[in-house]
Amino acid sequence: MAPATQKRALITGITGQDGLYLSELLISKGYQVFGLIRGQNNPKLKMVETLLPTVELLEGDLGDMSSLVKAITYCQPDEVYNLAAISFVAFSFTQPEHTGNITGLGALRLLEAIRIVDEGKGRIRFYQASTSELYGQVRETPQTELTPFHPRSPYGVAKAYAHHMTVNYRESYNMHASCGILFNHESPRRGHEFVTRKVTSSVARIKLGLQDSLILGNLDSKRDWGFAGDYVKGMWAMLQQDEPDDYVLATGETHTIQELLDHAFRAAGIDDWTPYVKQDPRFMRPAEVDLLHGDPTKARKVLGWEPEVTFPELITMMVENDLKLESVKVH
């Protein structure tokens, strides 16, 4: 176990891009980091052990309350970051019940486990990963912490439940519990099922002659895209405040899928993407979210948080990473 003076943090979803970046940030600040991982046969286990050798991995599952109590009792964290979720929006339409159980009820189980172990002392601080998908069919633009929610997917609905439950525990049990309403944030560590990584990896393969085309859905959707490495700094900053609260983290800029394609193909040295991109109705959402545009004013004023990586820099970073990865496969 870590020395008593060393801060301890427990991260769920440690195998995802945010979990990896947050772990690196906390380790750089001197934390002892624990990661909750579901099952020892987890395919990403070796990756985490290689990238983060000092992190202690604990078995646990957001679907199993007793495992959460056991993990929190063991590591006695100062901070808990709930980044785990069934987070792919399209998947949530095919498995809505599973999404609700893990993404929604999972957050409740974790909050309740903290309450039980902490015994009302208010010592353990909690971060809930909320999402811009809460806004869905947006009521106003840009979206702030006060914009009403109208989620348009089972994922968004489950996240709304988790968000409101976090606020409820904050108000009911005097828990230092904060929600980060994060707009889209990407990186070279993003999963291939997400549109940004799907685009950058496909562009790399097209450039190297390994793939002929890229199939997408709605090219007019607008998103507020930032770099995940910047956003985890905001998560940490929220839990350092005297009072818990909710914050929007966003760049304040929007870009279409077409702009994403422009930057990605250009980064690979291809000026015209139109011959390579095809649209397929199968990739359209049953209920589309057309525009997400965040207003991070509160985070700037209270947390001193600013996104540092620009959209073109982010997409170039991702394309260059995927070109290296695909080149290794070729050779």
Side-chain angles (χ1 to χ4, degrees), residues 219-248:
L219 301 185
D220 297 317
S221 291
K222 292 182 179 180
R223 293 291 183 272
D224 187 324
W225 277 300
F227 173 51
D230 290 340
Y231 284 54
V232 298
K233 296 174 185 175
M235 298 177 188
W236 175 80
M238 290 178 210
L239 296 199
Q240 311 317 306
Q241 304 306 305
D242 291 336
E243 298 296 328
D245 207 344
D246 307 322
Y247 298 89
V248 165

Side-chain angles (χ1 to χ4, degrees), residues 38 61-64 84-88 91-107 109 154-155 158-159:
R38 186 165 53 87
D61 192 324
L62 288 182
D64 179 53
I86 306 298
S87 59
F88 185 40
F91 178 83
S92 78
F93 281 101
T94 61
Q95 295 200 26
E97 183 180 348
H98 184 47
T99 300
N101 184 39
I102 301 303
T103 304
L105 287 171
R109 293 185 189 103
Y155 167 72
K159 279 289 192 179

